[in-house]
Amino acid sequence: MAERPYIVGNWKMNGTRAMLPEARAIDRAAQRYMKAEVAVAPPFTLIHAVHREAEQIGVGAQDCFPGEDGAHTGDISATMLADAGAKFVIIGHSERRGDHKETAEQINAKIESAIEAGLRIILCCGETLPVREKGQAEDFVLEQLRASVSKIEDPAERLTVAYEPVWAIGTGKTATPDDIEAMHKAIRGLLDETYGEEQSSGVRILYGGSVKPENAREILSLPEVGGALVGGASLSAESFLGIVVAASETEEA
């Protein structure tokens, strides 16, 4: 596993320029907690502004269009994201797969565009409650990943995987430590199988199921959990930094 835990804030469809003080606070605090790598993915409209504020944290995007340019009204290419200051892009998030019915083919096209633009990829995967209740969670998640990871060369430099159990996000249900550990170990096994253990060891696997300061330490101490993809708790510097501190202290332990 890579040395430093990776804590990524996904702001989703939240944020105007009034959020820039939060970004500044996150960046300044991250300079004091160097044992964790910290990043945020603001909405497209704030990527450039947050990039200008950031001295320490990484700045990325929440999605990209799988094409270079052309007549695609309202879409934003990976090249445009890189030009705005993004260093990575989240691809295959559960809200894109679910709300926008994204297919493996579309996700793979986005991966190809991101790689060509020089962006790192956070590839998301995760199962719904009906899938888990049928006992098919691991098979489902590994199939999602299997459809895409083989497209990514040099994975230690290019790829981060984020496991997000859809059924445990904003539902009041929680994944147990055993649930998280089992899925992360299964994902690691697939990465080892795809890339070989030497290459796979550099790919961090993030957990993205309603991570908060209150549960971050327990989650981040689990085997194969290399960080967190944080949603609502990343909108406040105070709550997000509680997770960063937990990651730093877990790394010291």
Side-chain angles (χ1 to χ4, degrees):
M1 192 186 301
E3 289 184 4
R4 292 196 296 167
Y6 191 25
I7 309 299
V8 182
N10 176 14
W11 286 6
K12 305 191 179 185
M13 197 176 73
N14 296 287
T16 63
R17 284 179 294 175
M19 283 280 289
L20 291 178
E22 298 294 328
R24 281 195 292 271
I26 291 168
D27 185 73
R28 302 306 179 263
Q31 296 177 39
R32 303 196 302 272
Y33 297 102
M34 298 295 290
K35 290 186 179 295
E37 181 178 355
V38 182
V40 296
F44 293 138
T45 53
L46 289 181
I47 290 173
H48 181 62
V50 174
H51 170 67
R52 291 184 63 180
E53 296 288 344
E55 297 179 5
Q56 179 62 39
I57 62 172
V59 181
Q62 300 171 20
D63 187 41
C64 68
F65 181 76
E68 183 62 25
D69 51 32
H72 305 291
T73 301
D75 290 313
I76 298 178
S77 72
T79 300
M80 291 173 175
L81 298 176
D83 184 61
K87 302 300 182 186
F88 68 89
V89 59
I90 298 170
I91 295 178
H93 190 279
S94 62
E95 291 162 1
R96 301 293 310 181
R97 292 181 189 263
D99 298 347
H100 297 269
K101 312 303 179 189
E102 287 191 356
T103 65
E105 290 75 15
Q106 290 171 317
I107 288 167
N108 288 343
K110 292 182 179 188
I111 288 172
E112 182 177 345
S113 293
I115 290 172
E116 289 178 357
L119 298 176
R120 292 167 55 191
I121 295 156
I122 298 178
L123 177 61
C124 296
C125 58
E127 80 282 9
T128 61
L129 185 59
V131 170
R132 174 159 285 272
E133 288 179 337
K134 291 177 183 176
Q136 299 171 350
E138 286 190 14
D139 289 343
F140 182 87
V141 167
L142 296 185
E143 186 57 34
Q144 282 185 329
L145 290 174
R146 194 174 284 113
S148 299
V149 292
S150 62
K151 311 294 182 183
I152 302 171
E153 297 181 0
D154 196 12
E157 295 297 323
R158 290 287 190 190
L159 176 64
T160 298
V161 173
Y163 167 58
E164 42 172 7
V166 181
W167 54 274
I169 301 174
T171 64
K173 298 180 181 292
T174 57
T176 67
D178 286 345
D179 293 333
I180 299 168
E181 183 175 344
M183 187 64 78
H184 278 241
K185 284 185 175 180
I187 292 170
R188 178 63 64 194
L190 175 63
L191 295 175
D192 288 346
E193 173 189 310
T194 303
Y195 301 124
E197 291 187 15
E198 183 175 353
Q199 288 269 22
S200 166
S201 66
V203 179
R204 288 172 288 196
I205 307 171
L206 313 184
Y207 177 70
S210 296
V211 180
K212 301 176 177 65
E214 296 78 16
N215 62 18
R217 189 183 308 276
E218 179 180 32
I219 291 171
L220 293 168
S221 66
L222 294 171
E224 301 298 349
V225 176
L229 180 61
V230 184
S234 70
L235 298 176
S236 157
E238 181 179 1
S239 61
F240 189 50
L241 290 170
I243 298 170
V244 172
V245 170
S248 298
E249 293 177 349
T250 301
E251 184 67 11
E252 290 172 357

